[in-house]
Amino acid sequence: MLAKWAFRGQNLLFFEVLIILGCFQGMLDVLVYHQMKVLGGSLFVIAVGAAAAVGPAFLFIFRVERVIEYCGYHNILYTALVVLSLQFTGYAYLEDVSAEWSLLLKGLDTFSMLMVWVTASTHTHNSAPRSLVATCQAIVAVFYCCIGRGFGGVLIYFSLQYLSKENLMKTCSVVSILLCILFLCVHYCCFKSFPYKKKILVAKPTSQGATGNYKPLTSVRKEDKGPNDADEYY
């Protein structure tokens, strides 16, 4: 049952997007820390930046299920790639300014991290088998927090050996946009049903036929009718 849920086409794409989002988030955390140190930010500013997404999160925390139902979980995940691209671009050009300006970009973590995690948990709870909800949510957490962010941290270490911090953030910005376009094309071309596809309706058996107790009305023979009966079958 677990393998049947995990290896469905939409869930495989869902896992791939989560791993990539976690990878970008892990890279962004390392790059933001270095960027804040370059801008002369104190440990207090860095600590406040880590909690900057809490304020905007209160706008969605009480209506998050309606937001996910209205937008669709896949659209929220793909939007997170766009928000990550904006963050990478903003930090790349954040120079010769006060470190406090980075808090505005850090506040976008509401859409690039918090909404991703809430959406992933909600979608897993709704789609997973009832007896394996906790197991499936643990698998999603491993994909996003462990595999994705861990691989992002390792990748950023080796990438900084060959690219500057600014060029690396610009590259990540472009790659995230391209991946967003790719995933949108795959989702809407391969997995989303065509809206004008003709549906063939198959007549379902009635409840009478399903019980086995249904007896069709028998017609009355002409010779069995009375003299005042109409000349018809009933």
Side-chain angles (χ1 to χ4, degrees):
M1 186 180 297
L2 181 62
K4 184 178 180 181
W5 172 81
F7 289 102
R8 288 190 299 181
Q10 289 187 351
N11 285 338
L12 288 176
L13 182 64
F14 171 63
F15 297 149
E16 292 174 8
V17 175
L18 279 183
I19 292 175
I20 291 175
L21 284 170
C23 180
F24 279 131
Q25 192 64 47
M27 297 173 69
L28 184 64
D29 291 341
V30 177
L31 290 172
V32 167
Y33 177 78
H34 285 285
Q35 188 73 357
M36 295 284 286
K37 298 296 288 185
V38 170
L39 294 175
S42 62
L43 290 178
F44 176 76
V45 175
I46 297 175
V48 172
V54 176
F58 278 108
L59 300 176
F60 302 93
I61 194 67
F62 300 106
R63 301 291 181 180
V64 65
E65 292 185 354
R66 292 189 179 182
V67 172
I68 296 173
E69 182 180 356
Y70 180 80
C71 299
Y73 76 93
H74 46 84
N75 290 327
I76 294 178
L77 297 182
Y78 304 149
T79 303
L81 287 171
V82 178
V83 176
L84 281 170
S85 177
L86 294 175
Q87 288 181 292
F88 279 119
T89 305
Y91 284 117
Y93 290 98
L94 197 64
E95 299 176 356
D96 301 328
V97 295
S98 176
E100 283 75 11
W101 285 101
S102 63
L103 298 178
L104 297 176
L105 293 172
K106 196 63 178 175
L108 293 176
D109 281 351
T110 301
F111 308 99
S112 63
M113 184 176 65
L114 296 181
M115 284 299 295
V116 168
W117 179 238
V118 174
T119 302
S121 300
T122 304
H123 170 68
T124 306
H125 179 271
N126 294 336
S127 63
R130 294 297 93 186
S131 59
L132 298 173
V133 170
T135 303
C136 295
Q137 287 182 332
I139 292 174
V140 169
V142 169
F143 282 146
Y144 181 72
C145 298
C146 301
I147 298 177
R149 302 187 72 164
F151 181 74
V154 174
L155 183 61
I156 199 66
Y157 170 77
F158 289 103
S159 300
L160 287 174
Q161 307 297 323
Y162 304 98
L163 294 173
S164 64
K165 183 171 72 279
E166 290 76 15
N167 290 334
L168 184 57
M169 285 190 285
K170 294 175 185 177
T171 303
C172 291
S173 175
V174 174
V175 172
S176 61
I177 286 293
L178 293 178
L179 287 175
C180 177
I181 296 173
L182 175 62
F183 286 135
L184 280 173
C185 293
V186 172
H187 176 80
Y188 284 99
C189 294
C190 300
F191 297 114
K192 191 173 179 62
S193 59
F194 189 63
Y196 301 105
K197 185 177 180 181
K198 184 178 180 181
K199 296 182 179 180
I200 301 176
L201 299 177
V202 179
K204 296 182 179 180
T206 61
S207 59
Q208 291 178 329
T211 59
N213 299 323
Y214 172 69
K215 294 182 180 180
L217 294 174
T218 57
S219 59
V220 181
R221 292 183 301 173
K222 205 169 187 178
E223 56 269 25
D224 295 337
K225 294 189 299 180
N228 297 327
D229 293 333
D231 190 14
E232 59 182 9
Y233 292 96
Y234 56 91

